[in-house]
Amino acid sequence: MAPPRCPQPRAGPARLVSPVIRRCPDHPAPPGAPWRPPVLWDQVTLTCHGSGTAGDTTWYRDGQRWWQQGIDCLTVTLSGTYTCDRPGSGRSPPVTVSHDDLVLQVPARALLEGDTVTLRCRAWQNRTVTRVSFYHEWKELGGLRDGTELSLSPLQRSHSGSYHCKGWLELWALEKFWESAPVTVTVHGEHRHV
């Protein structure tokens, strides 16, 4: 069975870069900045940029060949870790798409010292989650909260590390605390302008 295809992006100048997976231009991300990990209920589509032609693109899911049919834009319907490959460019960095019951998301951009960043704790298909608590390196950051977002400002290198969240929600006829998988946050030094 072929994976779902999304429309091909409009023609443009060739890019001679290592393969990079991004959201497909014809399927914009939900409002706001892109987040990692992306979640299936946001209707994730990925596109592979790199040297070569779309006909040379091979997709992998969880390390196994997923599809090779000349498509450089793929609508994701299963959770897993995706990469793409084009001859001459090699394999792209991985993108993990989650379908967990509770997910901690971080903005999918470089995080620099001095920036403000917001982490958000989301329940499956945007169900209501309450009494959220956030953890850094398995230590709780403050008490239980009604909010689902944690702001870190100004970012410092000490903010780097593993984060996860816990929250109270009713899911699958169970009302209990759920826990997200950990997400790694890396804070880089400030860009210096010369």
Side-chain angles (χ1 to χ4, degrees):
M1 179 174 83
R5 293 180 62 169
C6 53
Q8 295 296 309
R10 290 180 274 288
R15 297 182 187 183
L16 297 176
V17 296
S18 296
V20 175
I21 296 178
R22 297 190 178 125
R23 287 191 181 271
C24 182
D26 291 340
H27 292 270
W35 297 82
R36 68 173 174 85
V39 291
L40 278 183
W41 62 84
D42 282 342
Q43 300 179 5
V44 177
T45 56
L46 304 172
T47 187
C48 187
H49 292 284
S51 61
T53 62
D56 295 332
T57 302
T58 302
W59 288 93
Y60 296 85
R61 177 178 169 264
D62 296 333
Q64 302 295 316
R65 181 177 290 207
W66 177 243
W67 189 249
Q68 182 176 12
Q69 192 69 26
I71 58 172
D72 61 354
C73 188
L74 180 72
T75 301
V76 177
T77 58
L78 295 172
S79 60
T81 300
Y82 290 82
T83 57
C84 66
D85 182 83
R86 286 194 177 178
S89 293
R91 187 94 48 117
S92 70
V95 172
T96 299
V97 179
S98 176
H99 194 53
D100 291 344
D101 298 324
L102 193 66
V103 177
L104 179 69
Q105 291 184 305
V106 179
R109 61 177 169 83
L111 304 178
L112 304 176
E113 284 183 307
D115 284 355
T116 296
V117 69
T118 299
L119 311 183
R120 67 183 188 179
C121 192
R122 294 178 68 195
W124 182 75
Q125 293 198 345
N126 296 317
R127 293 178 186 234
T128 301
V129 57
T130 59
R131 293 190 274 174
V132 174
S133 53
F134 292 89
Y135 297 80
H136 178 228
E137 297 298 332
W138 306 100
K139 294 179 184 170
E140 189 173 357
L141 300 173
L144 297 173
R145 324 155 64 103
D146 287 328
T148 57
E149 296 184 343
L150 173 69
S151 180
L152 302 175
S153 177
L155 272 182
Q156 302 168 13
R157 292 212 182 185
S158 62
H159 287 122
S160 293
S162 177
Y163 287 81
H164 72 280
C165 65
K166 292 181 183 179
W168 182 266
L169 67 147
E170 184 179 337
L171 197 61
W172 314 120
L174 295 173
E175 197 170 0
K176 67 172 194 168
F177 274 102
W178 297 82
E179 184 172 349
S180 73
V183 174
T184 300
V185 169
T186 304
V187 179
H188 302 279
E190 293 181 283
H191 284 308
R192 306 241 187 259
H193 299 286
V194 180

